[in-house]
């Protein structure tokens, strides 16, 4: 039996603001516990919330970036529930009048075609505090501590629409989550650092037999702390539900938790005791009126979004779509590439060098492109030198590594590529006579390779070139060596 899958995310992202949603407390991550707390966010009786304008603007910005309609009138509501990390006993959120509605995010579908995943709403709310358990898991803990630094930090919740183009597979789920995170980082609404809990999600999943239009009950999965966990939880849950349906059983509507250690989902609560949050309009805040001018102002300041930028890169630089997508993955990286491109005519090579060589060095050093401290113009010039044949690819790699190492050890940009090549004598050997001498020496030293080439085997040619490269530290031009070797054997 085969099944269609519907996957709907509820994503929480912490907004980037200096202060909390309803009080002036700082939002800096990593501060000592309970040092960013005041009577308002600690829920003392008699205190009143004052709305943070910047948070409203950030939420509207996110809505516009995800093609939402921005409501003219929005309001806040109380969501009532008891939990030790919720000092007021309720959370100020939005219920029937959220700031943003009816949006979508375009991703690439599994069929390779663009697919606009429906977004039902994006609303603004405050975060809860954080419980810190004495042991790794709650069950094994002797005690738990509560840190209210996070209580009141502004969040947006992005709710997918299960009726409009829902996510249909684990792969689409990954692209959707990465796409949302990418957009929020591009517009600077959130850093979305997953390890800091700035980007979290719950997911609803239901199955139906292929061809049928009757979907089974939805199951919600909570407590997934990484993209990897989301994938594992979805794969497990699709399998679990398919097995139940294939043997004639029924899937119950319930909330499940993902157990990271065992890589399984476990029952948290069934439909019967699903909580009733008793939402009602927040009496301490007036309704929000969002003027058309404000929306237009935010729209006019919106940076170029990643999908638009990727298209422009293809047109402007003549690079492949796959390369453009990689180069626009992060805003800083795309900016770096564009700056480098001002100093390099060979954009295709620049794209390849960025994706292969620069990415590799960044990964090895576990740094971002900004942290590598090599100015983009130096990187562009280096690739230009390779392109024009002034240095070999191999020397180029050595120079790039040297530039990054020097910058990292001194904390500031070091010498440019031209100076390094000059000082270290890295100019390639282009003199025909010198190259010929190198070839003859290599042939003399390796008669067995010469024999094989004479017998018609091509592989030892690469061996000879490799020997010469070793001897010259990669300064000999491989293409010209190949030509000379070919001449030696044809005559
Ligand atoms: Zn506060």
């Amino acid at each position: 039996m085969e099944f269609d899958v519907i996957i709907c995310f509820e994503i929480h992202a912490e907004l980037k603001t200096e202060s909390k949603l309803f009080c002036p407390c700082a939002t800096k991550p990593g501060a000592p516990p309970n040092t960013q707390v005041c009577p308002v966010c600690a829920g003392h009786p008699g205190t009143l919330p004052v709305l943070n304008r910047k948070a409203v603007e950030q939420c509207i910005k996110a809505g516009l970036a995800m093609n939402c309609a921005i409501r003219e009138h929005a309001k806040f509501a109380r969501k009532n529930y008891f939990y030790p990390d919720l000092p007021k006993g309720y959370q100020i959120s939005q219920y029937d009048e959220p700031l943003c509605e009816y949006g979508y995010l375009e991703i690439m579908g599994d069929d390779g075609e663009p697919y606009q995943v429906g977004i039902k709403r994006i609303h603004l709310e405050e975060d809860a505090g954080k419980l810190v358990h004495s042991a790794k898991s709650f069950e094994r803990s002797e005690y738990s501590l509560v840190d209210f630094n996070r209580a009141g930090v502004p969040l947006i919740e992005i709710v997918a629409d299960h009726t409009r183009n829902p996510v249909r597979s684990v792969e689409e789920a990954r692209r959707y989550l990465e796409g949302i995170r990418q957009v929020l980082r591009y517009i600077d609404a959130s850093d979305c650092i997953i390890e800091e809990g700035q980007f979290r999600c719950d997911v609803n999943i239901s199955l139906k037999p292929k061809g049928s239009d009757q979907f089974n009950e939805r199951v919600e999965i909570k407590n997934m702390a990484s993209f990897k966990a989301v994938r594992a939880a979805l794969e497990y849950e699709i399998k679990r539900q398919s097995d139940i349906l294939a043997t004639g059983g029924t899937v119950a509507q319930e909330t499940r938790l993902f157990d990271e250690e065992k890589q399984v989902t476990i029952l948290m609560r069934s439909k019967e005791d699903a909580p009733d949050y008793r939402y009602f309009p927040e009496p301490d805040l007036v309704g929000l009126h969002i003027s058309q001018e404000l929306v237009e102002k935010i729209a006019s300041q919106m940076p170029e979004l990643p999908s638009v930028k990727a298209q422009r890169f293809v047109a402007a630089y003549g690079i492949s779509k796959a390369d453009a997508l990689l180069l626009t993955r992060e805003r800083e990286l795309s900016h770096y590439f564009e700056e480098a491109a001002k100093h390099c005519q060979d954009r295709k090579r620049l794209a390849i060098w960025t994706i292969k060589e620069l990415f590799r060095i960044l990964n090895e050093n576990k740094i971002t492109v900004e942290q590598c401290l090599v100015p983009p113009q130096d990187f562009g010039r280096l690739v230009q030198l390779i392109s024009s044949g002034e240095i070999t690819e191999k020397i180029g790699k050595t120079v790039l590594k040297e530039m990054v190492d020097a910058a990292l050890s001194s904390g500031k940009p070091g010498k440019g590529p031209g100076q390094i090549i000059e000082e270290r004598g890295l100019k390639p050997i282009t003199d025909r006579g010198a190259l010929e001498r190198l070839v003859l020496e290599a042939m003399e030293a390796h008669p067995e390779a010469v024999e094989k080439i004479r017998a018609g085997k091509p592989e030892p040619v690469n061996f000879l070139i490799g020997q010469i490269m070793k001897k010259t530290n990669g300064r000999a031009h491989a293409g010209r060596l190949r030509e000379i070797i070919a001449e030696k054997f044809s005559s």
Side-chain angles (χ1 to χ4, degrees), residues 23 25 38 41:
C23 65
C25 290
C38 75
C41 55

Side-chain angles (χ1 to χ4, degrees), residues 20 22-26 36-43 148-149 151-152:
K20 291 187 180 178
F22 300 116
C23 65
C25 290
Q36 295 176 163
V37 187
C38 75
V40 177
C41 55
F148 286 125
N149 282 354

Side-chain angles (χ1 to χ4, degrees), residues 151-393:
V153 166
L155 285 182
I156 47 171
E157 181 172 338
I158 303 163
V159 183
D161 189 341
H162 71 277
T163 65
R164 279 190 299 130
N165 286 0
V167 165
R168 303 164 292 188
S169 70
V170 177
E171 262 309 299
E172 286 185 356
R174 177 185 64 79
R175 287 195 283 268
Y176 175 73
L177 285 183
E178 284 179 356
I180 297 266
R181 182 170 182 270
Q182 183 190 38
V183 166
L184 292 177
R185 285 171 61 84
Y186 251 77
I187 62 174
D188 214 22
S190 173
D191 285 333
C192 296
I193 299 169
I194 295 163
E195 296 75 23
E196 303 268 2
Q198 293 172 349
F199 189 85
R200 330 191 275 269
C201 69
D202 302 331
V203 64
N204 278 290
I205 166 164
S206 59
L207 264 57
K208 75 172 171 63
K210 258 198 194 326
S212 155
D213 48 5
Q214 207 58 46
F215 268 93
N216 287 285
E217 292 289 0
R218 277 189 283 165
V219 172
E220 187 181 15
I221 313 171
K222 288 183 176 291
N223 198 34
M224 294 164 297
S226 66
F227 285 1
K228 219 174 106 194
V230 172
R231 171 181 283 275
L234 284 174
E235 280 171 351
Y236 179 86
E237 193 56 26
I238 291 172
K239 172 91 172 52
R240 188 187 72 88
Q241 293 188 26
S242 320
D243 287 351
I244 293 175
L245 295 172
T247 52
T250 45
V251 175
Q253 184 185 340
E254 58 194 22
T255 300
R256 300 177 74 85
L257 281 179
F258 182 61
D259 185 327
E260 183 110 46
E261 222 168 281
K262 298 192 186 114
Q263 299 276 302
V264 297
T265 64
I266 44 176
L267 180 66
M268 181 184 171
R269 58 179 176 237
S270 63
K271 189 188 181 183
E272 283 72 43
D273 42 58
D276 173 7
Y277 292 119
R278 293 181 297 117
Y279 279 99
F280 62 84
E282 169 56 53
D284 290 340
L285 289 164
V286 293
L288 266 174
H289 171 73
I290 307 296
S291 70
Q292 195 54 38
E293 291 80 63
L294 178 65
V295 175
E296 276 164 19
K297 190 180 142 220
I298 294 169
S300 71
Q301 292 163 352
M302 184 79 78
E304 188 177 33
L305 293 174
S307 53
V308 179
K309 186 171 277 186
Q311 278 176 17
R312 181 169 63 76
F313 271 27
V314 171
Y317 301 119
I319 59 177
S320 72
K321 191 172 173 202
D323 286 354
L325 286 173
L326 284 171
L327 291 170
T328 53
R329 211 168 49 181
E330 295 275 347
R331 198 182 46 180
E332 287 75 21
L333 176 69
S334 64
H335 180 70
Y336 192 90
F337 176 80
E338 290 213 88
E339 286 301 307
K342 290 178 187 162
H343 302 271
C344 179
Q345 295 306 309
D346 189 349
R347 272 66 184 271
K348 278 190 184 137
R349 192 186 295 262
L350 183 66
I352 293 166
W353 263 71
T354 308
I355 291 162
K356 277 178 78 175
E357 301 307 326
L358 191 62
F359 280 13
R360 188 172 50 76
I361 288 189
L362 296 180
N363 283 339
E364 275 171 14
N365 290 287
K366 295 191 175 63
I367 50 172
T368 65
V369 73
E370 285 164 304
Q371 290 164 333
C372 92
L373 294 171
V374 170
Q377 51 269 36
D378 280 353
F379 181 64
R381 282 188 196 113
L382 173 67
V383 178
Q384 181 62 39
L385 287 170
I386 300 160
S387 177
S388 59
E390 286 192 46
I391 54 169
T392 59
E393 291 248 345

Side-chain angles (χ1 to χ4, degrees), residues 13-129:
E14 261 180 24
L15 291 179
K16 232 170 144 176
T17 55
E18 292 291 317
S19 57
K20 291 187 180 178
L21 189 51
F22 300 116
C23 65
C25 290
T27 54
K28 258 206 181 91
N34 295 310
T35 54
Q36 295 176 163
V37 187
C38 75
V40 177
C41 55
H44 289 194
T47 56
L48 289 170
V50 177
L51 181 60
N52 181 337
R53 184 188 172 93
K54 175 83 179 182
V56 174
E57 291 178 358
Q58 292 279 45
C59 181
I60 294 173
K61 197 159 73 168
L64 291 173
M66 292 175 211
N67 310 291
C68 289
I70 310 301
R71 284 185 70 99
E72 205 181 324
H73 293 282
K75 69 177 191 229
F76 287 97
R78 281 191 189 180
K79 181 180 180 179
N80 299 279
Y81 66 94
F82 263 119
Y83 205 68
D85 62 7
L86 193 71
K88 294 198 290 275
Y90 60 84
Q91 176 193 28
I92 302 180
S93 179
Q94 295 191 290
Y95 187 55
D96 51 349
E97 294 183 26
L99 269 167
C100 320
E101 296 175 307
Y102 308 116
Y104 66 85
L105 180 85
E106 187 170 295
I107 61 165
M108 192 182 75
D110 283 344
D111 51 7
E113 297 295 319
Y115 186 65
Q116 296 179 344
V117 179
I119 290 171
K120 190 175 176 188
R121 54 189 279 154
I122 302 178
H123 67 248
L124 187 57
E125 63 184 24
E126 58 181 342
D127 207 347

